[in-house]
Amino acid sequence: MSDPRYTPLRERHEALGASFTDFGGWQMPVRYTSDLAEHHAVRQAAGIFDISHMAEFLVTGESAGEFLDYALAGRLSAMPVGKAKYSLMLSDAGGIVDDVIVYRLADDRYLVIANAGNRGFVDAAFAKRIRSFPSLIERQSPARAEGEERSFAGFLGDRGVDVEDVSESFALIAVQGPAAEAIVAATAGITDVSTPWEAQKYYAWADARFEGESLLLARTGYTGEDGFELLVRAADAPVLWDALMTAGEPHGLVPAGLAARDTLRLEAGMPLYGHELTTETKPAQAGLGRVVVSEKESFVGKDAVAAASGAPVLVGLVAEGKRAGRAGYAVEDADGAMIGEITSGALSPTLGHPIAMAYVTPSSAEEGTAVFLDVRGTKIPATVTALPFYRRMK
């Protein structure tokens, strides 16, 4: 067993009294004080999260956009500089290897942020996809075709593509909630912001400096609230955390852990890899068919991306009372027949009743369908509902 990994903010978390848990091989704060208090702070004011365990890949070169169109399910080459897009990395069999966010930094430069637990899989998949990239094969020299030992990135040079895992170089801090913009804008040391705050849109990013060093301000998040994810040099993360905490004090900013992050994303209907998304899941089953640009000439998984007829589909479930279904609990029909399984569930702190996401048979997926949750032997009535469960106030 490998030693646990910690982010550059470990000392800050320990000083705040955080409880830690393993997450993808990382020791991450699960809570600081109370799951509920941290959840409510994000909905009502703001929370600050350490998400430095996430994996970052730089994709560069003249063919970077074209390569990402092939390596991922979306059309990333058409995305303007300054924007971000949610996308999927698919297997040859059409299942989901990971869900990622892609930022276009320049015409020939992209940042891909992947899930921490999938870092190795994504790295290996990118390496394999470079080798099978159609444009590379078309330009391959006879020497390369005969097995000459050179990297494909080196072979293509400036005309091609290079993928670099830069996860160790950076830290990522999220500030989420209605007060997020006011807090980040007031943070001492953040200067030279390239886009006025009022012009920064959701799923876009701005250049800035923190203490004179490069800072990427992304208006993205995983909570269903407005907010920012700040990518900074790993060495600068503790000072940035302190500056954000100081700026956030008048606004009610609190540190928040993985427990609050999970209930927040569940309320927002956001899938979690390993729960709603797996290599056995096709995008259409998870309600992510819109992410796949099927008309692209070629991309990994294209020929297998369609879900089989009758395959389970992801739905939202709401129930009364206080007993929540959890991942792995059965979903049944009125006759007691199993029609699905819960992937994530909790008593919603914001809504006050149990909510869950589950995969059920298509015949039971229509909104308003009555079902039952098997909660440790007790049948709990529930109703199929549209996702998300919660939308932030404008």
Side-chain angles (χ1 to χ4, degrees):
M1 182 179 294
S2 59
D3 293 334
R5 304 190 66 188
Y6 291 88
T7 77
L9 295 168
R10 174 183 182 178
E11 292 183 359
R12 298 300 190 272
H13 303 320
E14 291 176 338
L16 290 164
S19 299
F20 290 83
T21 190
D22 177 80
F23 191 84
W26 293 79
Q27 285 294 300
M28 298 297 296
V30 66
R31 68 183 57 83
Y32 298 84
T33 54
S34 154
D35 300 351
L36 286 176
E38 293 167 21
H39 180 108
H40 288 310
V42 175
R43 290 280 181 250
Q44 298 165 8
I48 182 170
F49 300 83
D50 178 10
I51 52 174
S52 302
H53 60 309
M54 302 293 281
E56 292 88 27
F57 296 87
L58 276 178
V59 183
T60 57
E62 185 177 306
S63 298
E66 183 185 355
F67 169 70
L68 286 173
D69 287 349
Y70 170 72
L72 303 178
R75 194 184 298 279
L76 291 312
S77 62
M79 179 171 57
V81 174
K83 298 296 185 181
K85 182 175 287 190
Y86 178 84
S87 195
L88 300 171
M89 174 177 276
L90 305 178
S91 68
D92 291 332
I96 300 172
V97 175
D98 200 15
D99 61 332
V100 301
I101 297 180
V102 183
Y103 303 82
R104 190 164 195 173
L105 306 180
D107 287 344
D108 59 354
R109 189 176 181 86
Y110 294 77
L111 172 69
V112 179
I113 297 186
N115 285 292
N118 288 335
R119 177 180 171 184
F121 299 114
V122 172
D123 191 29
F126 271 140
K128 182 178 180 180
R129 285 160 208 225
I130 285 180
R131 296 185 183 96
S132 61
F133 183 31
S135 292
L136 182 147
I137 293 172
E138 291 168 6
R139 291 180 290 198
Q140 200 165 268
S141 70
R144 181 64 201 182
E146 294 168 6
E148 182 182 349
E149 292 299 324
R150 285 185 290 174
S151 73
F152 278 86
F155 169 73
L156 284 174
D158 293 338
R159 297 181 296 112
V161 59
D162 184 37
V163 179
E164 181 183 3
D165 182 345
V166 295
S167 307
E168 302 299 327
S169 300
F170 295 99
L172 197 57
I173 299 172
V175 180
Q176 301 282 297
E181 181 182 306
I183 292 167
V184 177
T187 299
I190 294 181
T191 60
D192 303 325
V193 180
S194 62
T195 306
W197 295 103
E198 64 277 8
Q200 293 180 25
K201 304 299 182 183
Y202 190 49
Y203 265 70
W205 61 271
D207 266 328
R209 311 292 289 180
F210 177 69
E211 300 291 349
E213 299 293 339
S214 180
L215 173 69
L216 186 143
L217 290 171
R219 199 151 204 162
T220 48
Y222 194 53
T223 64
E225 295 295 339
D226 187 22
F228 294 86
E229 294 177 325
L230 295 84
L231 187 74
V232 67
R233 293 192 318 167
D236 296 330
V239 180
L240 177 59
W241 176 277
D242 293 343
L244 290 164
M245 288 287 287
T246 298
E249 187 174 356
H251 299 277
L253 178 70
V254 303
L258 290 180
R261 185 171 166 84
D262 191 51
T263 51
L264 289 159
R265 70 92 192 169
L266 175 57
E267 289 182 347
M270 295 178 169
L272 175 63
Y273 198 89
H275 287 249
E276 288 71 43
L277 308 179
T278 71
T279 54
E280 304 302 314
T281 309
K282 301 294 180 70
Q285 291 179 259
L288 297 174
R290 67 188 184 282
V291 177
V292 180
V293 182
S294 298
E295 59 269 25
K296 288 190 299 181
E297 181 178 349
S298 176
F299 64 91
V300 177
K302 176 180 173 69
D303 295 335
V305 73
S309 176
V313 293
L314 188 66
V315 299
L317 299 173
V318 296
E320 298 180 359
K322 300 298 181 182
R323 299 192 67 183
R326 303 293 181 178
Y329 287 13
V331 182
E332 300 176 351
D333 65 16
D335 297 325
M338 184 174 175
I339 56 172
E341 184 176 293
I342 292 174
T343 52
S344 298
L347 177 61
S348 167
T350 303
L351 305 174
H353 58 249
I355 59 174
M357 289 194 281
Y359 279 97
V360 301
T361 57
S363 60
S364 302
E366 184 177 352
E367 188 174 349
T369 300
V371 299
F372 293 87
L373 312 181
D374 185 348
V375 180
R376 297 184 178 181
T378 301
K379 307 301 182 187
I380 305 294
T383 304
V384 174
T385 189
L387 294 170
F389 303 102
Y390 166 87
R391 293 183 188 275
R392 67 182 171 93
M393 299 297 291
K394 297 296 183 181

